Amino acid sequence: MKKRRDRVLAAVLAAILVLGLAGCGTMDDGKGKSEKKEAVKKDSYKIAIVPNSLNDPYMIMLSNAAKKQCDELGMEGVVQSTSSGSLTDVAGQTELIENIIANGTYDGIVVAAMSMDGINVSVKACQDAGIPVVMMDNNADQDALEKDGYERIPFVGTDNYNAAAATGKWMKETYPEGTKLAKINGEEGNDNGNKRKKGIDDGLEGWCDVVAEQSTDWSVDEGYIAAQNILMANPEVEVFWCACDAIGIGCVRALEEAGVLDKIDVIGFDGTVDGLELVKNGYEIANTAQAPDVMGREAINVLIDVIEGGSPEMVTDSGYEIITKETAEETIEKLKEYL
């Protein structure tokens, strides 16, 4: 009988030992993921700042603001972009981030995505390598990340839907019902572009008569061509809404060449210095200005919080303001230091 009790006791102790080991986290969780490493705070971090292009004035200001914040905090901020400079070079951005990971010296990355779907490949690679990532301006597909077993990551940027909706409401208060409106949008399928398109429509609530709408690749040249085509087919147009400042610059150029700039209003979106100069000089009636200075700085602050093991807000709204001629010069002076 005693031998039997000893065997039972030994079995119980063995079971307790196995449970204890499992409780200490030494067993696989079944997802193949390695455990989080405990954050180690350092006096300085090396941070990769990845805009979606350095050919775009807005992205230049955003990158410079992030770099300046790094400098002021005693961090090393390194701005890197694709060699093509294209806003649609998703493969180039993926390769760039792969190289940053392989470099092995970076503590974190802030990145403006070219594509919500495309950037998820890079975010997953960063998480697999243990490198924190914060999105700025353009977000990742957070739901898809979570569905694939990865963590959601912080985003710092403009609420594009609300900013565009506010612009629509401003137009509703400014123009009579039935005003002939043409819209020149950004790239089809782009998340920010989609939100701006929906926001402007919801804000207007059918107030204006949309006589034409055309998508572009966000460039000056395509904004110019779109405005020419719309004007030729719809000479009765009274207002152009442009989804970004590059498009607005192209639109103004087309209207000026046609000799109708004094008869047709242009409303821009972005708030770059070039775009705001159009407002200041009377070529645009208004511009929905984002805050690239706030966005770049806050992206760095949030990233450092993540690196050091904090739990920042998942979404930080960097804000917007509808700029008219009365406030354009003041805003321009504030942004010039980031050019």
Side-chain angles (χ1 to χ4, degrees):
M1 179 68 79
K2 181 176 184 300
K3 287 183 180 179
R4 184 179 176 187
R5 283 199 302 268
D6 289 346
R7 285 197 300 271
V8 171
L9 180 59
V12 171
L13 290 173
I16 292 171
L17 178 60
V18 170
L19 290 171
L21 288 172
C24 291
T26 59
M27 299 188 72
D28 194 342
D29 63 3
K31 294 182 180 180
K33 297 283 181 188
S34 58
E35 292 183 355
K36 272 189 175 180
K37 296 178 183 177
E38 187 175 345
V40 178
K41 295 184 181 181
K42 300 191 296 187
D43 292 334
S44 181
Y45 302 106
K46 185 176 180 180
I47 295 170
I49 300 164
V50 182
N52 56 31
S53 172
L54 285 176
N55 287 339
D56 178 56
Y58 184 85
M59 281 291 141
I60 291 172
M61 289 194 296
L62 175 60
S63 301
N64 287 344
K67 176 70 166 65
K68 185 169 184 178
Q69 184 71 354
C70 286
D71 293 343
E72 291 180 1
L73 294 173
M75 310 294 171
E76 182 182 358
V78 182
V79 179
Q80 300 188 55
S81 184
T82 60
S83 57
S84 69
S86 169
L87 284 163
T88 57
D89 185 9
V90 177
Q93 189 173 60
T94 301
E95 182 180 4
L96 175 63
I97 294 174
E98 285 175 355
N99 291 337
I100 290 169
I101 295 169
N103 181 274
T105 65
Y106 288 91
D107 297 294
I109 302 174
V110 291
V111 57
M114 291 184 187
S115 159
M116 282 187 75
D117 297 331
I119 200 64
N120 276 20
V121 174
S122 297
V123 172
K124 291 175 182 178
C126 287
Q127 289 193 14
D128 288 340
I131 299 177
V133 183
V134 168
M135 303 306 303
M136 56 181 185
D137 190 59
N138 296 308
N139 208 345
D141 188 338
Q142 303 276 2
D143 291 340
L145 281 175
E146 193 170 52
K147 184 178 178 181
D148 290 343
Y150 287 81
E151 294 182 2
R152 303 178 80 91
I153 58 175
F155 168 69
V156 180
T158 306
D159 186 325
N160 283 277
Y161 172 82
N162 282 340
T167 307
K169 290 175 183 176
W170 179 88
M171 292 170 66
K172 190 174 177 180
E173 294 168 359
T174 304
Y175 297 100
E177 187 173 4
T179 294
K180 306 295 183 184
L181 170 68
K183 299 192 297 178
I184 307 181
N185 301 315
E187 183 185 6
E188 286 287 344
N190 178 276
D191 183 54
N192 283 352
N194 290 343
K195 288 173 179 174
R196 291 176 194 182
K197 282 170 62 177
K198 180 167 174 51
I200 196 78
D201 288 341
D202 288 354
L204 282 169
E205 296 180 314
W207 187 255
C208 289
D209 178 12
V210 180
V211 297
E213 186 168 1
Q214 190 166 325
S215 297
T216 71
D217 67 354
W218 304 99
S219 71
V220 173
D221 288 344
E222 287 212 5
Y224 171 79
I225 293 168
Q228 281 185 320
N229 293 339
I230 290 171
L231 189 60
M232 190 176 299
N234 304 274
E236 76 280 12
V237 65
E238 297 171 283
V239 180
F240 274 89
W241 175 77
C242 300
C244 76
D245 276 346
I247 294 171
I249 291 167
C251 180
V252 166
R253 188 178 297 168
L255 299 184
E256 192 170 30
E257 286 183 7
V260 294
L261 188 56
D262 60 337
K263 299 173 184 175
I264 299 175
D265 286 349
V266 179
I267 298 168
F269 196 113
D270 265 347
T272 64
V273 170
D274 288 342
L276 295 176
E277 287 283 358
L278 294 178
V279 179
K280 175 185 172 183
N281 294 320
Y283 299 124
E284 282 187 357
I285 194 73
N287 190 297
T288 307
Q290 303 182 76
D293 52 335
V294 175
M295 194 183 299
R297 287 176 173 274
E298 282 305 306
I300 296 300
N301 291 339
V302 171
L303 178 63
I304 291 171
D305 192 6
V306 174
I307 291 171
E308 296 187 340
S311 299
E313 294 291 329
M314 293 305 291
V315 176
T316 301
D317 186 355
S318 51
Y320 65 88
E321 183 179 2
I322 298 174
I323 303 296
T324 58
K325 192 167 186 176
E326 292 72 27
T327 55
E329 187 167 6
E330 178 185 352
T331 309
I332 289 168
E333 290 305 312
K334 183 183 74 169
L335 292 175
K336 275 185 176 177
E337 66 176 295
Y338 300 104
L339 289 175

